[in-house]
Short mmCIF file of all heavy atoms in Angstrom, two decimals:
data_model
loop_
_atom_site.label_atom_id
_atom_site.label_comp_id
_atom_site.label_asym_id
_atom_site.label_seq_id
_atom_site.Cartn_x
_atom_site.Cartn_y
_atom_site.Cartn_z
N PRO Q 696 -280.12 -160.19 22.10
CA PRO Q 696 -280.78 -159.29 23.08
C PRO Q 696 -281.20 -157.95 22.50
O PRO Q 696 -282.08 -157.29 23.08
CB PRO Q 696 -279.69 -159.11 24.14
CG PRO Q 696 -278.86 -160.35 24.05
CD PRO Q 696 -278.82 -160.65 22.57
N ALA Q 697 -280.64 -157.56 21.36
CA ALA Q 697 -281.07 -156.30 20.74
C ALA Q 697 -282.48 -156.42 20.19
O ALA Q 697 -283.16 -155.40 20.01
CB ALA Q 697 -280.10 -155.92 19.61
N LEU Q 698 -282.94 -157.66 19.97
CA LEU Q 698 -284.29 -157.89 19.46
C LEU Q 698 -285.27 -158.27 20.56
O LEU Q 698 -286.45 -157.93 20.49
CB LEU Q 698 -284.26 -159.00 18.40
CG LEU Q 698 -283.68 -158.66 17.04
CD1 LEU Q 698 -283.62 -159.92 16.18
CD2 LEU Q 698 -284.50 -157.58 16.36
N SER Q 699 -284.80 -159.01 21.57
CA SER Q 699 -285.73 -159.52 22.58
C SER Q 699 -285.08 -159.57 23.95
O SER Q 699 -283.91 -159.96 24.09
CB SER Q 699 -286.21 -160.92 22.18
OG SER Q 699 -286.99 -161.50 23.20
N LYS Q 700 -285.85 -159.20 24.97
CA LYS Q 700 -285.40 -159.29 26.35
C LYS Q 700 -285.74 -160.63 26.98
O LYS Q 700 -285.47 -160.85 28.16
CB LYS Q 700 -286.01 -158.17 27.18
CG LYS Q 700 -287.54 -158.21 27.23
CD LYS Q 700 -288.11 -157.03 28.00
CE LYS Q 700 -289.63 -157.04 28.02
NZ LYS Q 700 -290.19 -155.88 28.75
N ALA Q 701 -286.32 -161.55 26.22
CA ALA Q 701 -286.70 -162.86 26.74
C ALA Q 701 -285.48 -163.63 27.23
O ALA Q 701 -284.38 -163.52 26.66
CB ALA Q 701 -287.43 -163.66 25.67
N LYS Q 702 -285.66 -164.40 28.30
CA LYS Q 702 -284.59 -165.19 28.88
C LYS Q 702 -283.97 -166.13 27.86
O LYS Q 702 -282.77 -166.43 27.92
CB LYS Q 702 -285.14 -165.98 30.06
CG LYS Q 702 -284.10 -166.73 30.88
CD LYS Q 702 -283.20 -165.79 31.63
CE LYS Q 702 -282.21 -166.55 32.51
NZ LYS Q 702 -281.25 -165.65 33.20
N LEU Q 703 -284.77 -166.56 26.91
CA LEU Q 703 -284.30 -167.47 25.88
C LEU Q 703 -283.11 -166.92 25.11
O LEU Q 703 -282.25 -167.66 24.63
CB LEU Q 703 -285.46 -167.78 24.93
CG LEU Q 703 -285.19 -168.70 23.74
CD1 LEU Q 703 -284.74 -170.08 24.19
CD2 LEU Q 703 -286.45 -168.82 22.88
N PHE Q 704 -283.04 -165.59 25.00
CA PHE Q 704 -282.04 -164.97 24.13
C PHE Q 704 -280.95 -164.23 24.90
O PHE Q 704 -280.29 -163.34 24.35
CB PHE Q 704 -282.73 -164.02 23.16
CG PHE Q 704 -283.78 -164.69 22.30
CD1 PHE Q 704 -285.13 -164.39 22.47
CD2 PHE Q 704 -283.42 -165.63 21.36
CE1 PHE Q 704 -286.09 -165.01 21.70
CE2 PHE Q 704 -284.37 -166.27 20.58
CZ PHE Q 704 -285.72 -165.96 20.74
N ASP Q 705 -280.75 -164.57 26.19
CA ASP Q 705 -279.77 -163.82 26.97
C ASP Q 705 -278.34 -164.34 26.82
O ASP Q 705 -277.42 -163.84 27.47
CB ASP Q 705 -280.17 -163.78 28.45
CG ASP Q 705 -280.11 -165.16 29.13
OD1 ASP Q 705 -279.70 -166.14 28.47
OD2 ASP Q 705 -280.45 -165.24 30.32
N GLY Q 706 -278.13 -165.36 26.00
CA GLY Q 706 -276.79 -165.85 25.74
C GLY Q 706 -276.37 -167.05 26.56
O GLY Q 706 -275.31 -167.64 26.32
N ASN Q 707 -277.17 -167.44 27.55
CA ASN Q 707 -276.87 -168.64 28.33
C ASN Q 707 -277.28 -169.90 27.58
O ASN Q 707 -278.14 -169.86 26.68
CB ASN Q 707 -277.60 -168.59 29.67
CG ASN Q 707 -277.01 -167.56 30.61
OD1 ASN Q 707 -275.80 -167.50 30.80
ND2 ASN Q 707 -277.87 -166.70 31.18
N SER Q 708 -276.67 -171.02 27.93
CA SER Q 708 -276.99 -172.29 27.30
C SER Q 708 -278.34 -172.80 27.82
O SER Q 708 -278.55 -172.89 29.02
CB SER Q 708 -275.89 -173.32 27.59
OG SER Q 708 -276.18 -174.55 26.98
N ILE Q 709 -279.25 -173.10 26.90
CA ILE Q 709 -280.60 -173.55 27.23
C ILE Q 709 -280.78 -174.99 26.74
O ILE Q 709 -280.62 -175.27 25.55
CB ILE Q 709 -281.67 -172.66 26.56
CG1 ILE Q 709 -281.46 -171.18 26.92
CG2 ILE Q 709 -283.07 -173.13 26.92
CD1 ILE Q 709 -281.73 -170.85 28.35
N PRO Q 710 -281.11 -175.94 27.64
CA PRO Q 710 -281.37 -177.31 27.18
C PRO Q 710 -282.61 -177.34 26.27
O PRO Q 710 -283.58 -176.62 26.51
CB PRO Q 710 -281.62 -178.09 28.47
CG PRO Q 710 -281.11 -177.22 29.57
CD PRO Q 710 -281.26 -175.81 29.10
N VAL Q 711 -282.57 -178.18 25.25
CA VAL Q 711 -283.70 -178.29 24.33
C VAL Q 711 -284.01 -179.75 24.05
O VAL Q 711 -283.15 -180.62 24.09
CB VAL Q 711 -283.43 -177.56 22.99
CG1 VAL Q 711 -283.20 -176.08 23.21
CG2 VAL Q 711 -282.24 -178.19 22.25
N THR Q 712 -285.29 -180.00 23.80
CA THR Q 712 -285.76 -181.27 23.27
C THR Q 712 -286.34 -180.98 21.88
O THR Q 712 -287.16 -180.09 21.73
CB THR Q 712 -286.84 -181.89 24.16
OG1 THR Q 712 -286.33 -182.03 25.49
CG2 THR Q 712 -287.26 -183.26 23.64
N VAL Q 713 -285.88 -181.73 20.88
CA VAL Q 713 -286.28 -181.48 19.50
C VAL Q 713 -286.94 -182.72 18.92
O VAL Q 713 -286.45 -183.85 19.12
CB VAL Q 713 -285.05 -181.11 18.63
CG1 VAL Q 713 -285.47 -180.82 17.18
CG2 VAL Q 713 -284.31 -179.91 19.22
N ARG Q 714 -288.04 -182.53 18.23
CA ARG Q 714 -288.71 -183.65 17.56
C ARG Q 714 -288.80 -183.36 16.07
O ARG Q 714 -289.41 -182.38 15.65
CB ARG Q 714 -290.12 -183.90 18.11
CG ARG Q 714 -290.79 -185.14 17.50
CD ARG Q 714 -292.16 -185.39 18.14
NE ARG Q 714 -292.73 -186.65 17.74
CZ ARG Q 714 -293.61 -186.80 16.72
NH1 ARG Q 714 -294.01 -185.73 16.04
NH2 ARG Q 714 -294.08 -187.98 16.42
N PHE Q 715 -288.18 -184.22 15.27
CA PHE Q 715 -288.31 -184.19 13.81
C PHE Q 715 -289.44 -185.17 13.44
O PHE Q 715 -289.55 -186.24 14.05
CB PHE Q 715 -287.02 -184.61 13.12
CG PHE Q 715 -285.86 -183.68 13.36
CD1 PHE Q 715 -284.91 -183.97 14.32
CD2 PHE Q 715 -285.74 -182.51 12.61
CE1 PHE Q 715 -283.83 -183.12 14.54
CE2 PHE Q 715 -284.67 -181.64 12.82
CZ PHE Q 715 -283.72 -181.95 13.80
N SER Q 716 -290.23 -184.83 12.43
CA SER Q 716 -291.39 -185.67 12.16
C SER Q 716 -291.79 -185.67 10.70
O SER Q 716 -291.42 -184.77 9.93
CB SER Q 716 -292.58 -185.21 13.00
OG SER Q 716 -292.93 -183.87 12.67
N ASP Q 717 -292.54 -186.72 10.33
CA ASP Q 717 -293.20 -186.81 9.02
C ASP Q 717 -294.62 -186.29 9.17
O ASP Q 717 -295.23 -186.42 10.22
CB ASP Q 717 -293.25 -188.26 8.53
CG ASP Q 717 -291.87 -188.83 8.23
OD1 ASP Q 717 -290.93 -188.05 8.06
OD2 ASP Q 717 -291.76 -190.08 8.19
N SER Q 718 -295.16 -185.78 8.09
CA SER Q 718 -296.55 -185.34 8.09
C SER Q 718 -297.49 -186.55 8.12
O SER Q 718 -297.04 -187.69 7.96
CB SER Q 718 -296.83 -184.47 6.87
OG SER Q 718 -298.10 -183.87 6.94
N THR Q 719 -298.77 -186.28 8.33
CA THR Q 719 -299.87 -187.21 8.41
C THR Q 719 -299.95 -187.90 9.77
O THR Q 719 -298.99 -187.86 10.56
CB THR Q 719 -299.87 -188.32 7.33
OG1 THR Q 719 -299.02 -189.39 7.70
CG2 THR Q 719 -299.49 -187.77 5.98
N GLY Q 720 -301.07 -188.55 10.02
CA GLY Q 720 -301.27 -189.31 11.25
C GLY Q 720 -300.96 -190.78 11.10
O GLY Q 720 -301.36 -191.58 11.94
N ILE Q 721 -300.25 -191.16 10.03
CA ILE Q 721 -299.94 -192.57 9.76
C ILE Q 721 -298.60 -192.91 10.40
O ILE Q 721 -297.55 -192.41 9.96
CB ILE Q 721 -299.88 -192.83 8.23
CG1 ILE Q 721 -301.20 -192.39 7.58
CG2 ILE Q 721 -299.58 -194.29 7.94
CD1 ILE Q 721 -301.17 -192.40 6.06
N PRO Q 722 -298.57 -193.74 11.44
CA PRO Q 722 -297.33 -193.94 12.21
C PRO Q 722 -296.25 -194.76 11.51
O PRO Q 722 -295.09 -194.69 11.89
CB PRO Q 722 -297.81 -194.63 13.48
CG PRO Q 722 -299.10 -195.27 13.12
CD PRO Q 722 -299.72 -194.40 12.08
N ASN Q 723 -296.61 -195.54 10.48
CA ASN Q 723 -295.62 -196.37 9.79
C ASN Q 723 -295.33 -195.87 8.38
O ASN Q 723 -294.88 -196.60 7.52
CB ASN Q 723 -296.08 -197.83 9.75
CG ASN Q 723 -297.41 -198.00 9.03
OD1 ASN Q 723 -298.10 -197.02 8.74
ND2 ASN Q 723 -297.78 -199.23 8.75
#
């Protein structure tokens, strides 16, 4: 909070969805 007043950084637990990925548009 010393850096940002955004709700994201107020210390409460925030649910997240994370996607890890490979580069390129080749799906296989």
Side-chain angles (χ1 to χ4, degrees):
L698 286 175
S699 174
K700 61 183 178 181
K702 187 68 176 176
L703 178 61
F704 302 112
D705 68 2
N707 289 311
S708 181
I709 305 292
V711 299
T712 304
V713 181
R714 185 177 189 264
F715 296 99
S716 61
D717 293 342
S718 189
T719 83
I721 305 171
N723 59 349

